[in-house]
Amino acid sequence: TDILDEYDLVIDIGRRHDGVKYFDHHQGGTEDKASAGLILQYLEGSGSLPAVEDIREIVGYVDRQDNGIERRPLDSIINVISNLNADDIYSEEQAAAFYRAVAFAEELVLAPLLKQHLEAEEEMRVLNAIQPQTVIILPGHMRHWQKVFNGVINPDVEAVVWEDDKAGDWKIQVAPAEP
């Protein structure tokens, strides 16, 4: 039997892609996606991960690097993660390095992006419920208000204000001409 049959997931090796167990892009037919993109496609399709544009952008960047479409700068996140590899990729040290790289990516890339996405979704829900008027009073500081209140979507809105609890005063910002 094939040694790869013993594993639950096989990623970036084996020249097979079935979208369930095997996620290798080297067999052809997946030119726009590397293994990272194939896995993201599976996770979004199965409902295990919400479709988050920021994550898609990062994975697309990884795919372009891995497929040789785009050259990565030395200080890219991909190189940082790649540098976690051991010198001997067949060693126990490499297995440990792999898990460190996964933990690094989860903690410093994926988790903050998902948190940002969920916060933005909630903010947008609140913002879209506010009736446009010349001056909008926000329920607090909201980072995404300019996506809703700007000269294109709501041209009559001139400014937004909110109470800054920490500073003990009110803040005002002029609505931008464009989102």
Side-chain angles (χ1 to χ4, degrees), residues 6-7 18-19 35 45 60 67 82 107 141 144 147 161 163 173:
E6 300 174 24
Y7 298 94
D18 64 7
S35 295
N67 285 331
S82 180
E107 181 180 345
H141 180 256
H144 303 281
K147 294 177 183 174
V161 296
E163 187 174 8
Q173 280 192 310

Side-chain angles (χ1 to χ4, degrees), residues 15-41:
R15 296 191 182 279
R16 287 185 255 176
H17 172 252
D18 64 7
V20 178
K21 175 179 179 171
Y22 297 97
F23 294 92
D24 189 13
H25 63 109
H26 295 106
Q27 79 286 346
T30 60
E31 288 77 18
D32 63 330
K33 290 183 175 57
S35 295
L38 297 174
I39 292 168
L40 179 63
Q41 183 177 17

Side-chain angles (χ1 to χ4, degrees), residues 104-124:
F104 174 86
E106 284 178 334
E107 181 180 345
L108 298 175
V109 179
L110 184 58
L113 285 175
L114 285 175
K115 180 179 183 242
Q116 176 183 330
H117 172 72
L118 294 173
E119 288 173 355
E121 268 188 350
E122 175 60 20
E123 241 183 56
M124 292 303 288

